[in-house]
């Protein structure tokens, strides 16, 4: 028989951060032909998915390690009522949950749109990402290099 | 909105309490609160370590908490009081949240409205 205490403990062990369960639990779609173009395309697809559901503005991002997507995100600021929920922040949080670390060195972020805003670029810096790739045109990835920490 | 120096000191004491809460949870030593019309509407102990989230700085957590409680992403009219000077991630988050004013540190430094800075 399952005692109340054991049941509570079991539920606690299953608990994840509220609002992230569905997001983190799903498996990540991997492109058939992995590479910068495919990764940036995936970021654009996520942007489209999120905004078409009304979850936020149309921006998406993926985090890639060893040519595999290890985290994904899209702007969910409207859904979560959270002005910090930009696509890049969501992707960083997702990758950290999945990899079980907040050190994303060895990873590259691909993000749809222009250069990440200073909030997101600094978040990339804190997450120790190796490189930022962005593009307003899905067919033209722009390699920005290591995330920069604004020193002003 | 205006905060008297006495009010600012009282809110800094609350931010300090958040900092101590973070430390006792094994987290980084930072705290922040968001204030609106003389009331605290958002609390932020740093949760970087406890959540395993490099974006969970005290100021980010305070903004998330205030937006969630007030049910709006628009925190105009609010002031953020934080134990240290906000990093560029947090200052830009404050800019996106349209916070009116930032106060930081034991000396209650008032850096005014948050800015979007690229350098
Ligand atoms: Zn951003
Ligand atoms: Zn910060």
């Amino acid at each position: 028989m399952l005692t109340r205490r054991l049941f509570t403990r079991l539920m606690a062990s299953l608990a994840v951060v509220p609002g992230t369960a569905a997001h983190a639990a799903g498996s990540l779609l991997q492109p058939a032909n992995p590479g910068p173009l495919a990764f940036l395309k995936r970021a654009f697809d996520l942007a489209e998915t999120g905004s078409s559901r009304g979850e936020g503005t149309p921006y998406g991002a993926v985090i890639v390690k060893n040519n595999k997507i290890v985290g994904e995100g899209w702007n969910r600021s409207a859904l979560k009522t959270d002005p910090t929920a930009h696509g890049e922040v969501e992707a960083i949080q997702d990758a950290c949950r999945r990899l079980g670390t907040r050190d994303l060195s060895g990873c590259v972020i691909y993000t749809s749109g222009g250069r990440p805003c200073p909030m997101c670029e600094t978040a990339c810096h804190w997450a120790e990402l190796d490189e930022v790739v962005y593009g307003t045109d899905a067919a033209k990835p722009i390699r920005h290099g290591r995330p920069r920490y604004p020193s002003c | 909105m205006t905060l008297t120096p006495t009010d600012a000191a009282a809110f800094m004491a609350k931010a300090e309490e958040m900092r101590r809460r973070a430390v006792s949870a094994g987290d980084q030593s930072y705290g922040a609160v968001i204030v609106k019309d003389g009331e605290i509407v958002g609390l932020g102990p740093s949760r970087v370590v406890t959540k395993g989230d490099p974006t969970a700085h005290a100021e980010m957590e305070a903004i998330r908490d205030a937006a969630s409680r007030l049910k709006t992403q628009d925190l105009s009219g609010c002031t953020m009081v934080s134990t240290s000077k906000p990093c560029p991630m947090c200052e830009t988050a404050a800019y996106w949240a349209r916070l009116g004013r930032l106060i930081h540190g034991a000396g209650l430094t008032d850096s005014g409205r948050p800015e979007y800075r690229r350098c």
Side-chain angles (χ1 to χ4, degrees), chain B residues 57 59 87 89-90:
Chain B
H57 285 193
E59 299 92 331
C87 80
M89 171 177 74
C90 296

Side-chain angles (χ1 to χ4, degrees), chain A residues 77-78 81-84 86 89 92-93 96 101-102 115-119 121-123 126-127 149-152, chain B residues 28 48-49 52-55 57 60 63-64 67-68 71-73 87-89 92-93 96-97 116-119:
Chain A
S77 53
T81 316
D82 179 357
T84 74
H86 286 194
V89 166
I92 288 169
Q93 291 174 326
C96 290
T101 174
R102 56 195 154 84
R115 179 177 168 188
C117 80
M119 173 180 77
E121 188 165 342
T122 311
W126 290 127
Y149 184 95
S151 52
C152 44
Chain B
Q28 298 174 343
V48 169
V49 176
D53 176 358
T55 77
H57 285 193
M60 295 282 275
I63 290 168
R64 288 163 176 160
S68 162
K71 298 182 171 59
T72 174
Q73 296 183 62
C87 80
M89 171 177 74
T92 313
W96 289 128
Y116 184 100
R117 296 186 234 235
R118 263 308 179 205
C119 307

